[in-house]
Amino acid sequence: MEQRLNTTVKIAGVELKNPVTVASGTFGSGAEYGDFVDLNRLGAVTTKGVANVAWEGNATPRVAETYGGMLNAVGLQNPGYDVFSSRDIPFLKQFDTKIIVNVCGRTTEDYVDVVEKLGDEAVDLLEINISCPNVKEGGIAFGQDPKAVESITKAVKRVAKQPVIMKLSPNVADITVMAKAAEAGGADALSLINTITGMKIDVERQRFILANKTGGLSGPAIHPVAVRMVYQTANAVSLPIIGMGGVATTEDALELILAGASAVAVGTANFNDPAATIKIIDGIEDYMVRHGVSDINELIGIVK
């Protein structure tokens, strides 16, 4: 008799059919991948960052390949809330998958504005990107100051109608301090890690490769850091975690789950292999069969 597998997980009360989503900024808002990936198979689609107005992003060049990963300084280019709500949400609603909207802003008021507007939309979860520079506080990212993390979480939670996931930056001395600050602010879940700040220099031309000088490093190179930070966070707070950072294979995804993540997001791997998410979903089911595990939830955080 065929073993029946339960791959459903819950993030802040929202049930995903499996623990696999995509990382914001690597999948557009789904339409770009529609010809390559059956979006109905994904546990959720996480959209590109959405601001209250259109952002142009940074000067080019803004993407560079590195050993084991890539650097990006795209600068959260997006068409703004109005285009997103009229074009992207209707597209995603056609599919049997949950919708996680990534929200970005330059001030607390920007975030609150987008979250308020999303209150009436048919989306399931909000992921708040606090790696954005806080223009009112001299440009340091919201996510690098625990007081700012708690305060922006509280501000967003006051107006949010959907559960709030705070996306943590790894560019800090102690990730658990930020996780606890988000928990104190009322966050419903956490996602981590965002990109690690890096730099690449063209030695022949003796200049920076990115116009922005620095960029966010993603891809397999950062995966061990993500595993460590997910593990630390899972053991410091009681919130569900979406783990991400260099997830390219089933093994990568399972590492994060065993470390304490309830779900995982595939990012840079989508550029290299648009079917990466589907291969990982199938791979997790194969692993469950091989290990005699009938419920994915039995694996979450069991490595101590």
Side-chain angles (χ1 to χ4, degrees), residues 64-84:
E65 198 168 341
T66 63
Y67 186 74
M70 64 176 274
L71 285 169
N72 98 80
V74 171
L76 294 163
Q77 178 180 345
N78 74 94
Y81 177 79
D82 292 343
V83 171
F84 175 77

Side-chain angles (χ1 to χ4, degrees), residues 151-172:
S151 131
I152 195 164
T153 307
K154 279 183 175 159
V156 165
K157 276 295 292 176
R158 266 198 292 274
V159 298
K161 291 188 183 165
Q162 296 93 343
V164 168
I165 307 163
M166 300 305 286
K167 184 169 186 177
L168 302 184
S169 168
N171 301 308
V172 295

Side-chain angles (χ1 to χ4, degrees), residues 20-178:
V20 179
T21 183
V22 292
S24 175
T26 65
F27 207 74
S29 288
E32 293 91 329
Y33 282 82
D35 292 341
F36 305 103
V37 181
D38 178 3
L39 302 186
N40 296 302
R41 297 267 335 261
L42 300 178
V45 171
T46 305
T47 70
K48 185 162 173 45
V50 179
N52 56 348
V53 292
W55 286 12
E56 284 190 4
N58 292 325
T60 59
R62 52 194 195 177
V63 175
E65 198 168 341
T66 63
Y67 186 74
M70 64 176 274
L71 285 169
N72 98 80
V74 171
L76 294 163
Q77 178 180 345
N78 74 94
Y81 177 79
D82 292 343
V83 171
F84 175 77
S85 66
S86 62
R87 180 191 68 189
D88 298 334
I89 294 176
F91 172 80
L92 287 170
K93 277 167 62 179
Q94 302 173 80
F95 300 95
D96 176 25
T97 187
K98 295 294 190 280
I99 303 171
I100 303 174
V101 179
N102 182 279
V103 177
C104 50
R106 295 190 174 101
T107 64
T108 301
E109 293 73 27
D110 290 349
Y111 285 97
V112 166
D113 185 23
V114 177
V115 169
E116 278 187 312
K117 287 173 172 164
L118 286 165
D120 298 323
E121 299 281 6
V123 302
D124 301 287
L125 293 153
L126 309 179
E127 180 183 65
I128 312 301
N129 177 10
I130 52 173
S131 295
C132 305
N134 182 349
V135 294
K136 287 195 176 170
E137 299 295 335
I140 184 170
F142 287 94
Q144 289 177 304
D145 172 7
K147 288 197 179 78
V149 172
E150 183 173 350
S151 131
I152 195 164
T153 307
K154 279 183 175 159
V156 165
K157 276 295 292 176
R158 266 198 292 274
V159 298
K161 291 188 183 165
Q162 296 93 343
V164 168
I165 307 163
M166 300 305 286
K167 184 169 186 177
L168 302 184
S169 168
N171 301 308
V172 295
D174 185 347
I175 194 79
T176 65
V177 171
M178 303 305 162

